[in-house]
Each structure stands twice: as C-alpha cells, then as structure tokens.
C-alpha cells in the first residue's frame, strides 16, 4: 500500500531530542517510529535505537506467525529496554510506534503522544490513554486502513490545540501536500509546545520525495549491533528566532559534531567527469546534411514528445526524451559519413525516424497512471493474501488464514468499487472466486441456491417491501403503510394500516395471535384478523425507535438516539408509560440497529459488535471467531429466541446469513451461508423446518440452513 507522508516539528529548540525512523519488513509491511525525549534525558539516541530495534526484531522474525503477536512481543522487548533506562527519564518520553501490514495497522504510544484517523472528513482518535503502569507501552490499536485515509501521529495531544472541525476542514482539501502545509502552520500558531507530527496519506498523491515516510532507515552494523540514524539530532545549530515550525532534516546528512558520528558513513563523492573533446570540423556538404538529419530527428522526436506529454498528463515528455536521445546519438554518426549519396542518407534518416516513432509508441503504451498503479497494487495484495491463506490453512492455522482472506477481500472490493477497466475487474473477479472457495474451506462457508417461495409482485403492484414476519405458518410482508399475507404462492393483498404515517418495523405476538408495528409518528399499531388498532400509551407520546422486541407482556423499543431501550407493559386496552431499561444508560447503544430477546436482550450495532443486557445491566458478551469479512452497516439484522440455541445475523450487504452458537459470554461463529441475492430486506428463521426465508423488493425466497 502506498504511503505519502510528511514529518515535521513545530516550535523546535536547540535542546530538542527528537527522532523518526522507518524500516521495511517485507512486501506490504512497514514500521515507523517517532519520539520526543525530555532535553535532560541521558543517551536518548541509544534508548530510541534500542526501543525501535526491539520491536523491529520481533516483527521480522517470522512471517508465518500472527503479526499482532509479533508486534506484542516486540513491545514487551521495548518495555524491557525502557525499564532498564528508566533512571535516565526525567519524564515519560512521548513515542508512537506504528506498523502497516498491508491494509492492517498496529499502533501503540506512550506519554502524551496521540494518533488520529481522518476518513471522509470524520476525525477519530485511534490511540488510547494508558492507565498508570510500570510499562512504557500498554495498549495496542489494531484496525484496517483504506485508500484515502489520513493517519496523524503526534507526540502531543493535537485536539488541545485544534478542533476536530478545523482538522476536518484542512484535510478535505484536494491537495494532501497543501493540506499538510496549512495544518503545520495552524498548529504552530495554536500551540507553543514543541511537537513532532507525521501526517500519513494512504494511497493519496503527493509531490513529496518518493522515499515516502522518513529519510532515515533503521540500519545494522556488520557487528550485528543495531544502529539508528535519527531524523534530527538532540543538538543541532540554534534555529532562527521563534520559527513557527521546521521540517525534520533528512537523516542522510551527517550528524552535528555534538552527536556521535562513529557509525556514520558519508556517501562517496561522485567521480569528476572529463569533458569529451570537441570533434574536428568537417566542412563538407555531406557533413552538413548529416548534422541537419540528426538535428531534424531530434526535433521530430521532441515535438512528438511535446504533443504526447500534453495529451497524456504525467507522461513527462517520454516521447521527447526518446526522440531527443536517438536524434542526438545518430546526428554525430551521420555527420561522419563521407561521400555517401544523398539517397543513402535519406534512407538512413527514414529508418531512424521510424525507430523514433516505434520507441515513442512503446513509451506511450508502457505509461502507467497513478490510478492504475494503485489498482495493480491492490490486485497484488489480494493475490498474495489468498496464496498465504492457502498455505496457512494447510498448516492448520485457521485464524491466520481467515485474516488473510479478509485482507484479500478488502483489496478486491477496492478494485471492484473503482472505475477500473475490464482487465482489472476480470482479475479482481477471478481472485474473488478464489476467496470464496477458500472461505468455504477455512470458514465453513456454504453456498445456498435460493428458490422462490412466493412472488408478491404478481398480486401487489409496485410493492417495495420493508420487512417480513411469520405467524401461524403464514408469512406477512409489509411496506411502509400496508401488510400482505402469503402462504406459498397464495398472496392476499392486505389493507393499509398506517395511511398517514410510515411503518418503521414490526414484530410477531404469537401468544395473542397478532402483529405489532412501530410507526414514525411514533406509535404502536396492533394488527389482528385483518383489523388494525392504533394503541395509546399513558405518556403523552410514544418513544421513537429503530427496532422493537417482545417478551411476555412487555414491548421493548430500541432508541439509539437516546441510548436507551424503552419498556412498555401491555395493559387491558393500552400500554403503560415508558420506563428506561438501560439503567443509567451504562451500555453504549448509540450505533444499535437490531435487537433480539430470549430473557436477556441482545443489541446488534452497525459496526458488527453485540451487547447483552440482563435486568437492565450490561453483562460481558461478544462475538467470537468471526469470519474474515466483517459484519457492518445499517442493514444488519439479528434473530434469536428463548428456545433457540443460535443467534442468526442477516448481512444483506454481503449476501449472507451468519450463524453463531449462543453461550453465556460468547456468540461463537459456526458458519455462514451465501445466498447470491441482491437487495434482501428481511428474514425469518423456521427452526422446525431448518429453513431461512428472505424477502427482496417483491419476492420471498427460501433456502436450507
């Protein structure tokens, strides 16, 4: 993955002890490090060297083990180094260590250092403040980055100086380089604290030098002792008075005299070139013709290159270089031809002109745009990840294989969602087929062949289904205002039950043989035997929600806006006042999209996480052994019941149904079923028949579990 990075220091002083390093760990893997030590720290350069070296060595030992585990082992080694040098720390140093493993990011920090992710203008802090500890590094962030993301690493808390809105406005600019300049300027004015910042653009274009992150790679001497070349030394020449900020000087320059130079080797000076002697004059007609032919060929090639350079932005005058080079090379040779007939010279000129055109054509055909480079890189990442998954599966490393398939899936989706040409899309589709085949082996994935159970479109014109419910062996499909009953291919067009409002969701009350709908007014409407009854509550109004559930005589309304689940008791002819089930709003329900009840209440969020509440209190519960393709999005839906041993999750965005075994503290992944249908709206599980029913816009399909 291409990384474009600017690293700079704001408000630098002569006493600063700051460092920045980077190192490749193989294809698609890079590690980065920034650090700022207190000016009175003894041997800061050595400490930075040893800390970075400990993490690098651990992550470079084996590519077959889990990278997270390697990174964690490296931090244990770094903590041991820090513990050894702790007496030299006047205060905790501010550090960030970041590792990119293809599109996976692992990150940790110490002191007041923080890191942020900017995605589509939204700012998220991705580092976590550690509790007081004897260790320097305590927490590890692990997550995925995408093309267009910007990651900010800082030795100081940026949001103390700039607001999230300021950062968002700055980095929404088209030019990454220009955005960084403005960011650096604004930060320098807003804060007087000396701060090192690395702004990393993932797959974004930049005019920065091609070396990318830092000019300071991590190096090792022949003796085996790790050495680091700092991006800036602790003792540099005093800066200009009150400079707002300064780019970190390239580490390829020798350190100042105050810094140890025993390990520095300056690059050898280039050997002086000897000027070629000027050729003796040959004042003859043939000589003049040869010189004119060479000059003409150079001019033709140059002109063609100029036109092509304008036509193909980024080609950088490839044709001009070809034409100029060939013309310049053959001109003197033609000038040396003596007493040759004009016809021969014209013939040679024609041949050489043809050669210029051929070479120029090849230069144009071989030109590769930045977008094509990104697509090619994603194809390469996907194929390598699939190959690695196959090897890991053969070795019995199922979790690692699943992780690689996830990386491959994300890379392929980036190609398919782009404006890639047919060749790249064909390659991506081929790899996607390989991923799905491998998933069937590694992740117990199945492919279902859904069959039509009922075609409601034949009976109901312009149906745009919202959801589906099951009652007494019949399926009820509802849109925003009406409900329609179907038994197999028999469809009964139903009445309008919410003429002046919109249905949001519904549930089945099997005990009382009725359906209950929540509308946007808001209110509950009960539907039984073709009759709909708008219900009242003891409150002035009902509470809004995105999903509802039933347990006994209580209806529960999921309200992520208020971070609450509202509990209503069904009384003789109305419902009670709402009571808050999420006690003290302790559980985070702000991203909730679906709920299910079996005595406990399970809440599914759009990030694919699950929350369990019992008697109003959150209890430990989470998904376990998730497959490589993540569950996420507002379309996720969930089902379980008190007499069901599984939790079912519908993931329409990925055309699959996931099955989890329900335990006390975990919902453990069992399998996933791909059903190859687009635009699925809702689902019903028939546990007796072991079938799943799904509804699209106007049809119901079924497939076995």
């Amino acid at each position: 993955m291409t990384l474009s990075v600017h690293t700079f220091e704001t408000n630098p002083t002569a006493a600063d002890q700051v460092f920045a390093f980077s190192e490749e760990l193989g294809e698609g893997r890079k590690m980065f490090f920034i650090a700022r030590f207190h000016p009175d720290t003894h041997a800061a350069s050595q400490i930075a060297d040893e800390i970075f070296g400990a993490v690098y060595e651990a992550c470079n030992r084996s590519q077959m083990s889990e990278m997270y585990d390697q990174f964690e082992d490296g931090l244990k080694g770094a903590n041991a180094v820090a513990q050894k040098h702790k007496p030299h720390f006047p205060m905790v140093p501010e550090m960030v260590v970041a590792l990119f493993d293809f599109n996976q990011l692992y990150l940790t920090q110490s002191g007041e250092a923080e890191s942020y992710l900017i995605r589509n203008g939204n700012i998220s802090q991705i580092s976590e403040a550690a509790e007081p500890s004897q260790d320097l590094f305590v927490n590890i962030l692990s997550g995925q980055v995408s093309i267009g993301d910007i990651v900010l690493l800082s030795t100081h808390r940026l949001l103390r100086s700039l607001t999230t809105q300021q950062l968002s406005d700055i980095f929404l600019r088209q030019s990454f380089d220009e955005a960084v300049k403005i960011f650096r300027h604004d930060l320098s004015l807003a804060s007087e604290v000396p701060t090192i910042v690395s702004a990393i653009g993932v797959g974004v274009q930049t005019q920065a030098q091609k070396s990318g992150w830092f000019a300071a790679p991590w190096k090792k001497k022949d003796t085996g002792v790790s050495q680091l070349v700092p991006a800036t030394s602790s003792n540099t020449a005093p800066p200009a008075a009150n400079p707002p900020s300064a780019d970190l000087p390239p580490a390829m320059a020798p350190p100042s005299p105050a810094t140890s130079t025993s390990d520095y080797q300056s690059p050898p000076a280039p050997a002086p070139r000897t000027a070629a002697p000027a050729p003796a004059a040959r004042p003859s007609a043939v000589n003049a013709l040869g010189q004119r032919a060479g000059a003409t060929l150079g001019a033709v090639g140059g002109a063609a290159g100029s036109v092509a350079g304008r036509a193909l932005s980024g080609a950088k005058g490839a044709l001009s270089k070809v034409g100029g080079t060939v013309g310049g090379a053959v001109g003197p040779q033609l000038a040396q031809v003596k007493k040759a007939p004009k016809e021969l010279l014209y013939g040679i000129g024609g041949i050489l002109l043809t050669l210029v055109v051929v070479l120029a054509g090849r230069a144009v055909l071989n030109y590769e745009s930045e977008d094509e480079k990104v697509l090619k890189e994603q194809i390469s990442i996907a194929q390598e990840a699939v190959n690695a998954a196959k090897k890991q599966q053969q070795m019995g490393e199922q979790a690692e294989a699943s992780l690689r398939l996830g990386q491959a899936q994300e890379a392929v989706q980036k190609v398919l969602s782009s404006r890639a040409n047919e060749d790249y899309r064909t390659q991506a589709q081929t790899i996607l087929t390989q991923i799905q085949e491998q998933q069937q082996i590694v992740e117990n994935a199945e492919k279902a062949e859904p069959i039509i159970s009922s075609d409601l479109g034949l009976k109901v014109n312009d149906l745009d289904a919202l959801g589906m419910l099951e009652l007494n062996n019949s399926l009820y499909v509802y849109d925003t205002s009406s409900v329609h009953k179907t038994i197999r291919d028999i469809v009964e067009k139903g009445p309008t039950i919410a003429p002046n409002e919109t249905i949001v969701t519904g549930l089945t009350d099997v005990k009382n043989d009725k359906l209950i709908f929540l509308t946007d007014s808001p209110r509950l409407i009960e539907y039984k035997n073709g009759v709909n009854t708008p219900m009242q509550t003891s409150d002035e109004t009902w509470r809004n929600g995105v999903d509802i559930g039933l347990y006994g005589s209580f209806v529960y309304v999921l309200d992520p806006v208020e971070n609450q689940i509202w509990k209503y008791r069904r009384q003789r002819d109305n419902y009670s006042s709402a009571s808050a089930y999420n006690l003290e709003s302790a559980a985070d329900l702000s991203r909730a999209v679906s709920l299910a009840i079996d005595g406990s209440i399970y809440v599914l969020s759009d990030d694919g996480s699950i929350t369990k509440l019992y008697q109003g209190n959150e209890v430990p519960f989470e998904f376990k052994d998730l497959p490589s393709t993540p569950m996420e999005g507002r379309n996720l839906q969930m089902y379980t019941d008190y007499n069901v041993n599984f939790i079912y999750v519908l993931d329409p965005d990925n055309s699959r149904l996931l099955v989890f075994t329900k335990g006390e503290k975990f919902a453990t992944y069992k399998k996933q079923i791909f059903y190859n249908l687009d635009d699925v709206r809702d689902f019903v599980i028939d546990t007796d028949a072991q079938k799943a029913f799904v509804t699209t816009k106007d049809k119901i399909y079924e497939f076995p579990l």
Side-chain angles (χ1 to χ4, degrees):
M1 182 169 293
T2 303
L3 300 175
S4 302
V5 181
H6 291 273
T7 298
F8 59 87
E9 181 184 13
T10 62
N11 306 304
T13 66
D16 285 349
Q17 299 209 73
V18 295
F19 305 88
F21 311 106
S22 71
E23 183 60 32
E24 299 271 357
L25 283 86
E27 180 68 26
R29 298 184 177 91
K30 292 183 180 179
M31 183 179 292
F32 309 98
F33 174 87
I34 61 172
R36 181 177 181 274
F37 291 82
H38 188 277
D40 296 334
T41 304
H42 176 67
S45 178
Q46 177 186 347
I47 298 171
D49 177 2
E50 293 181 9
I51 287 176
F52 183 83
V55 184
Y56 169 78
E57 293 291 354
C59 294
N60 201 38
R61 287 189 191 122
S62 170
Q63 300 300 334
M64 295 307 296
S65 60
E66 180 64 40
M67 184 55 73
Y68 182 96
D69 296 334
Q70 295 181 53
F71 191 66
E72 186 177 37
D73 288 344
L75 295 184
K76 292 177 181 178
N79 284 332
V81 171
Q83 193 67 29
K84 179 179 66 173
H85 292 287
K86 196 171 184 179
H88 300 307
F89 294 161
M91 60 183 296
V92 177
E94 297 152 349
M95 301 183 184
V96 180
V97 185
L99 169 64
F100 283 84
D101 180 15
F102 293 92
N103 64 329
Q104 193 77 16
L105 171 64
Y106 304 96
L107 182 145
T108 188
Q109 87 294 327
S110 67
E112 291 196 350
E114 287 189 350
S115 302
Y116 308 86
L117 174 69
I118 304 176
R119 176 174 292 172
N120 298 325
N122 298 313
I123 315 296
S124 303
Q125 182 177 326
I126 55 176
S127 57
E128 182 179 351
E131 298 293 332
S133 172
Q134 294 296 318
D135 290 331
L136 188 63
F137 302 110
V138 178
N139 301 317
I140 299 178
L141 163 98
S142 175
Q144 293 185 336
V145 293
S146 304
I147 290 179
D149 287 352
I150 295 172
V151 179
L152 300 179
L153 310 181
S154 174
T155 57
H156 189 67
R157 298 174 181 174
L158 297 180
L159 294 183
R160 284 187 174 181
S161 306
L162 299 174
T163 66
T164 56
Q165 187 60 51
Q166 284 177 292
L167 287 175
S168 176
D169 291 344
I170 290 171
F171 284 98
L172 279 176
R173 298 172 181 271
Q174 291 185 350
S175 170
F176 176 62
D177 297 332
E178 185 66 24
V180 172
K181 289 180 182 178
I182 296 173
F183 168 48
R184 184 177 64 184
H185 175 267
D186 290 358
L187 180 61
S188 300
L189 295 178
S191 173
E192 297 180 355
V193 179
T195 305
I196 301 180
V197 177
S198 287
I200 308 106
V202 181
V204 301
Q205 294 183 352
T206 180
Q207 300 300 320
Q209 61 182 14
K210 197 168 183 178
S211 59
W213 273 69
F214 305 91
W218 188 68
K219 298 183 178 180
K220 297 179 71 175
K221 294 173 59 179
D222 293 339
T223 59
V225 179
S226 302
Q227 293 295 324
L228 291 170
V229 182
T232 186
S233 65
S234 59
N235 295 284
T236 58
N242 300 321
S245 64
D247 282 322
L248 293 181
M252 300 306 291
S256 63
T259 305
S260 172
T261 59
S262 59
D263 299 315
Y264 176 77
Q265 294 181 353
S266 59
R273 294 186 179 181
T274 303
R282 296 184 173 87
S284 69
V286 173
N287 296 344
L289 178 60
Q291 292 169 353
R292 286 198 300 273
T296 300
L297 288 173
V300 169
S306 177
V307 173
R310 291 194 299 270
L312 296 174
S313 176
K316 298 180 180 178
L319 296 179
S320 178
K321 294 180 180 179
V322 172
T325 300
V326 174
V330 303
Q333 300 302 319
L334 286 174
Q336 295 177 24
V337 178
K338 296 181 178 181
K339 299 179 181 179
K342 290 185 179 181
E343 292 79 3
L344 175 59
L345 292 176
Y346 288 138
I348 294 174
I351 293 172
L352 292 173
L353 181 58
T354 302
L355 177 61
V356 170
V357 174
V358 171
L359 292 176
R362 291 182 61 185
V364 172
L365 292 175
N366 291 334
Y367 169 70
E368 188 173 66
S369 69
E370 288 300 318
D371 289 343
E372 288 176 324
K373 290 179 181 178
V374 171
L375 293 173
K376 183 178 289 186
E377 181 181 26
Q378 293 303 317
I379 292 291
S380 177
I381 289 173
Q383 190 62 68
E384 290 176 5
V386 170
N387 294 339
K390 291 179 181 179
K391 293 179 181 178
Q392 289 166 329
Q393 191 276 327
Q394 292 171 356
M395 298 174 65
E397 299 172 349
Q398 304 298 330
E400 290 80 0
S402 182
L403 179 65
R404 292 300 178 205
L405 291 176
Q407 293 174 340
Q409 178 92 11
E410 181 167 349
V412 163
Q413 290 301 333
K414 288 177 181 177
V415 176
L416 294 177
S417 62
S418 70
R419 296 180 180 178
N421 61 34
E422 191 63 31
D423 182 47
Y424 286 116
R425 297 185 70 84
T426 300
Q427 293 181 58
Q429 290 288 359
T430 300
I431 296 175
L432 183 60
T433 300
Q434 297 176 21
I435 293 171
Q436 293 174 346
E437 291 174 350
Q438 200 64 25
Q439 281 176 329
Q440 293 184 51
I441 301 173
V442 175
E443 300 175 352
N444 194 25
E446 301 175 3
K447 283 187 176 181
E449 297 294 338
I451 59 173
I452 293 181
S453 174
S454 181
D455 187 349
L456 288 84
L458 299 176
K459 186 76 173 181
V460 184
N461 295 328
D462 302 322
L463 176 63
D464 191 1
L466 176 65
M468 179 172 58
L469 301 169
E470 187 273 335
L471 179 64
N472 298 331
N473 297 318
S474 297
L475 293 175
Y476 292 80
V477 174
Y478 59 92
D479 55 22
T480 56
S481 61
S482 306
V483 60
H484 311 284
K485 180 180 178 181
T486 174
I487 304 176
R488 290 295 177 183
D489 56 349
I490 301 174
V491 178
E492 297 179 10
K493 185 176 180 179
T496 298
I497 62 174
N500 300 315
E501 47 200 315
T502 300
I503 296 174
V504 176
T505 187
L507 62 80
T508 301
D509 183 353
V510 177
K511 182 179 179 181
N512 295 295
D513 193 26
K514 63 185 177 183
L515 307 177
I516 302 175
F517 297 96
L518 173 68
T519 71
D520 64 349
S521 36
R523 83 166 107 195
L524 292 183
I525 296 177
E526 295 184 348
Y527 178 80
K528 182 175 182 178
N529 297 328
V531 178
N532 57 287
T533 306
M535 302 302 298
Q536 302 296 320
T537 171
S538 298
D539 295 329
E540 288 188 13
T541 61
W542 290 89
R543 296 283 187 164
N544 284 297
V546 297
D547 199 8
I548 54 177
L550 178 72
Y551 193 77
S553 59
F554 293 95
V555 171
Y556 297 82
V557 178
L558 178 61
D559 183 358
V561 174
E562 297 293 334
N563 197 54
Q564 193 54 260
I565 299 172
W566 304 109
K567 179 180 178 182
Y568 293 93
R569 182 182 182 89
R570 179 64 161 89
Q571 299 176 148
R572 182 173 180 178
D573 55 4
N574 66 355
Y575 284 82
S576 68
S577 298
S579 61
Y581 183 79
N582 183 18
L583 298 180
E584 299 180 357
S585 298
D588 183 7
L589 309 178
S590 61
R591 302 183 66 173
V593 294
S594 181
L595 90 165
I597 306 175
D598 68 354
S600 298
I601 295 182
Y602 302 87
V603 179
L604 182 65
S605 296
D606 64 1
D607 61 356
S609 63
I610 190 170
T611 302
K612 180 180 178 180
L613 297 97
Y614 181 70
Q615 295 184 349
N617 295 302
E618 183 177 5
V619 296
F621 195 81
E622 60 182 324
F623 287 121
K624 185 178 180 181
D625 298 338
L626 284 165
S628 57
T629 303
M631 307 181 297
E632 56 187 9
R634 304 294 301 176
N635 296 322
L636 293 176
Q637 297 183 52
M638 175 176 58
Y639 167 75
T640 192
D641 205 345
Y642 67 91
N643 59 353
V644 176
N645 296 324
F646 303 101
I647 292 177
Y648 298 88
V649 176
L650 181 71
D651 182 8
D653 293 347
N654 290 297
S655 301
R656 61 177 177 167
L657 177 68
L658 298 101
V659 184
F660 297 86
T661 302
K662 187 167 58 177
E664 187 65 27
K665 293 184 177 181
F666 299 100
T668 305
Y669 171 76
K670 184 176 187 289
K671 67 177 180 179
Q672 58 187 329
I673 305 171
F674 291 93
Y675 47 71
N676 195 30
L677 291 173
D678 295 328
D679 196 29
V680 167
R681 312 293 180 86
D682 201 356
F683 77 122
V684 167
I685 299 295
D686 186 340
T687 55
D688 293 333
Q690 282 296 289
K691 288 182 179 180
F693 294 89
V694 295
T695 181
T696 59
K697 179 180 178 180
D698 57 4
K699 294 179 178 62
I700 299 175
Y701 294 83
E702 64 178 83
F703 56 84
L705 294 173

